[in-house]
Amino acid sequence: MPPFMEQVKTVAFHTLGCKLNFSETSSISRLLEQDGFVKTDFDGTADVYVINTCSVTDNADKECRMLVRRIQRRAPGSMVVITGCYAQLKPEEIASIEGVDLVLGAAEKFNIAEHLKTLTKGDSAKICSCDIDEVNSFHASYSLNDRTRTFLKVQDGCDYTCAFCTIPMARGKSRSDSVANVVKHAHDLAATGVKEIVLTGVNLGDFGKGFEGGKKREETFFELAQELDKVEGISRYRISSIEPNLLTNEIIEFVANSRRFMPHFHIPLQSGSNEILGLMRRRYRRELYAEKVALIKQFMPHCAIGVDVIVGFPSESDAHFRETYDFLHELDVSYLHVFTYSERANTGALDIKPVVPVHIRNERNKMLRNLSHKKQQYFNEQHLHQTRKVLFESLGKDGMMEGYTDNYIKVTTPFRQEWHNQLIDWDLR
């Protein structure tokens, strides 16, 4: 049988996980399109299916297997490629899934076209470069959907060793693009009509350690933000997520006075208990977190602040959880992203006892999600009858379109073509 590359015409993608994964999937798609592939819908029939996986939740294996089974039923002769964090962490496990043809680790996912040239259907699954030590370079990527907003990757990997996290094992050491390259990408994206860029990375505040990574920062995220603020044509920047210990006071003050950086921060907390933060190996205490929130609100009372929090970490007692709940209840934040702790292989948390029963983890998750709903409602109500600029996106469900204010309040209205990708003054009701 000839190499499959000689026969393929179409490729379909499915992305699991974070904004970083979406930016990388989009870039991999463009690489294959440059190589002659035609992108098609994942729910249809394609010659190659690419699944970009996540490792944050314990459902990665279930989701991946389900998707492969679906492909097998629909198009048993198609090539199936698995990449992403789950592929990096458990390549043999993925290769054993019936129907999988190629497993690409973090070092090889951007070389997918070359691998497809030598692949033949029917062989056992091929595993390529899943040694994390081989992940020693930075690959820029960005997403392009309806040309309104794009996720631009500027940093990758992480040098932290949080006890619950597999990302350093899945993505390698902290490394990043240069300020000059990111500014060039911003100019290029502006030329396509993009109005908003969301800056993404694994540990965004650690930006500046160079393409191959290193202990000393050559540039800083603050310097990057200053240069991006000068790029004409981009109306908005958002910082996807930034660690509280790396969110400097100068960054906060800069955003408050910026022409283009939106009053919107997403800051991981993970726990409101200093004891649990210590066990998690986080690099701050809750007092620092509260100081950062207070400073943001001092400069920008209207700023949206999102919070990541984990419930059910090993040894989290009722008292520890109550600390977290009360801390968040009092904190002037806008919404929560709540994660239920799940055991991950080769992480330090596995050695911490006692383990929190799953049903208690789920109860705590529900309590914080309810708190998040109240926080979001209160934040929205604070801005009723204000006029704020909304950037509207393309047609959504049921003839409606969506957009967000500068401070991340969602607005839904009947679709109007002339509003697509436009900043509209909007009276919040």
Side-chain angles (χ1 to χ4, degrees):
M1 178 180 284
F4 197 67
M5 185 66 178
E6 294 177 12
Q7 305 169 19
V8 296
K9 297 292 182 185
T10 56
V11 59
F13 297 87
H14 189 89
T15 305
L16 302 170
C18 63
K19 295 171 182 175
L20 195 61
N21 269 10
F22 279 94
S23 73
E24 292 184 339
T25 298
S26 190
S27 289
I28 292 169
S29 170
R30 287 192 296 276
L31 286 173
L32 288 179
E33 287 177 76
Q34 290 168 13
D35 224 72
F37 286 88
V38 175
K39 184 178 177 182
T40 190
D41 190 81
F42 192 84
D43 291 327
T45 301
D47 297 303
V48 177
Y49 292 88
V50 179
I51 303 172
N52 193 0
T53 61
C54 173
S55 70
V56 172
T57 71
D58 58 354
N59 288 324
D61 56 341
K62 295 175 186 175
E63 290 178 299
C64 188
R65 289 175 187 276
M66 179 188 70
L67 289 167
V68 174
R69 282 198 299 270
R70 192 188 306 169
I71 294 166
Q72 285 289 93
R73 289 194 297 269
R74 183 192 312 135
S78 297
M79 195 72 72
V80 177
V81 181
I82 313 293
T83 188
C85 293
Y86 179 41
Q88 176 65 44
L89 292 170
K90 297 185 177 180
E92 290 83 9
E93 186 174 302
I94 292 176
S96 69
I97 300 173
E98 184 179 355
V100 171
D101 300 287
L102 178 62
V103 182
L104 293 178
E108 290 297 323
K109 58 189 166 187
F110 291 99
N111 295 326
I112 183 171
E114 293 304 310
H115 290 292
L116 286 174
K117 288 176 182 176
T118 59
L119 207 60
T120 55
K121 186 68 180 176
D123 295 343
S124 58
K126 182 180 178 182
I127 297 174
C128 296
S129 275
C130 287
D131 183 346
I132 198 61
D133 292 334
E134 295 179 18
V135 184
N136 55 13
S137 60
F138 178 84
H139 293 272
S141 59
Y142 57 85
S143 63
L144 274 181
N145 293 316
D146 63 359
R147 297 195 305 173
T148 300
R149 178 191 299 134
T150 185
F151 300 115
L152 174 59
K153 184 176 82 168
V154 303
Q155 187 275 339
D156 201 350
C158 188
D159 293 338
Y160 288 6
T161 55
C162 298
F164 52 81
C165 190
T166 58
I167 288 176
M169 293 177 277
R171 285 188 170 270
K173 60 187 176 182
S174 179
R175 56 206 188 277
S176 55
D177 212 337
S178 66
V179 169
N181 276 352
V182 177
V183 169
K184 181 183 182 302
H185 292 318
H187 280 292
D188 292 344
L189 288 166
T192 71
V194 165
K195 290 286 202 318
E196 180 175 311
I197 292 177
V198 182
L199 302 173
T200 64
V202 173
N203 190 352
L204 203 54
D206 205 31
F207 175 90
K209 291 187 173 178
F211 298 109
E212 297 180 359
K215 292 184 179 180
K216 184 179 179 182
R217 288 196 195 99
E218 301 167 356
E219 299 174 308
T220 66
F221 184 77
F222 177 60
E223 292 168 346
L224 173 65
Q226 287 179 304
E227 293 305 310
L228 287 174
D229 209 42
K230 302 172 186 175
V231 176
E232 297 295 335
I234 299 297
S235 302
R236 293 179 163 188
Y237 294 102
R238 294 191 193 273
I239 302 168
S240 62
S241 179
I242 187 165
E243 294 284 307
N245 53 302
L246 296 174
L247 177 55
T248 63
N249 293 353
E250 64 181 358
I251 292 173
I252 293 170
E253 188 169 357
F254 169 79
V255 171
N257 295 295
S258 168
R259 299 166 58 200
R260 296 183 170 92
F261 275 78
M262 296 296 97
H264 176 206
F265 289 95
H266 194 93
I267 315 168
L269 170 66
Q270 311 307 11
S271 176
S273 162
N274 281 336
E275 185 176 349
I276 297 299
L277 286 174
L279 291 173
M280 287 178 166
R281 301 187 205 147
R282 301 294 285 167
R283 300 192 179 197
Y284 54 87
R285 295 171 69 82
R286 69 185 227 158
E287 289 77 12
L288 174 71
Y289 196 98
E291 288 172 12
K292 297 299 181 184
V293 170
L295 187 62
I296 290 169
K297 287 297 183 174
Q298 176 187 326
F299 282 112
M300 296 166 279
H302 57 292
C303 185
I305 302 176
V307 184
D308 286 341
V309 60
I310 295 171
V311 295
F313 187 80
S315 83
E316 183 189 61
S317 64
D318 288 341
H320 290 136
F321 175 70
R322 177 53 61 179
E323 274 191 275
T324 295
Y325 187 95
D326 291 345
F327 181 67
L328 288 167
H329 186 271
E330 295 300 321
L331 210 57
D332 192 3
V333 295
S334 313
Y335 61 92
L336 314 175
H337 284 175
V338 186
F339 299 89
T340 301
Y341 170 77
S342 59
E343 287 76 3
R344 314 314 308 279
N346 303 312
T347 56
L350 294 177
D351 298 325
I352 301 173
K353 305 295 184 225
V355 172
V356 179
V358 172
H359 74 277
I360 293 178
R361 301 182 207 182
N362 292 336
E363 288 170 7
R364 292 173 181 173
N365 182 295
K366 184 176 180 179
M367 288 177 67
L368 285 187
R369 282 190 286 112
N370 287 339
L371 178 61
S372 177
H373 179 69
K374 293 175 183 176
K375 289 276 187 184
Q376 185 74 68
Q377 275 191 318
Y378 177 70
F379 181 74
N380 291 355
E381 287 167 2
Q382 285 180 303
H383 297 87
L384 284 176
H385 308 302
Q386 291 186 11
T387 299
R388 308 198 75 90
K389 288 194 179 297
V390 175
L391 178 61
F392 279 106
E393 300 172 22
S394 63
L395 180 64
K397 294 180 180 179
D398 302 320
M400 306 296 282
M401 67 192 308
E402 296 176 351
Y404 288 87
T405 64
D406 55 343
N407 59 344
Y408 210 57
I409 295 173
K410 186 177 179 179
V411 173
T412 304
T413 190
F415 180 74
R416 289 177 60 170
Q417 180 62 48
E418 66 271 25
W419 283 357
H420 173 234
N421 203 24
Q422 297 299 315
L423 285 164
I424 305 295
D425 286 326
W426 195 263
D427 180 23
L428 295 171
R429 298 173 188 155

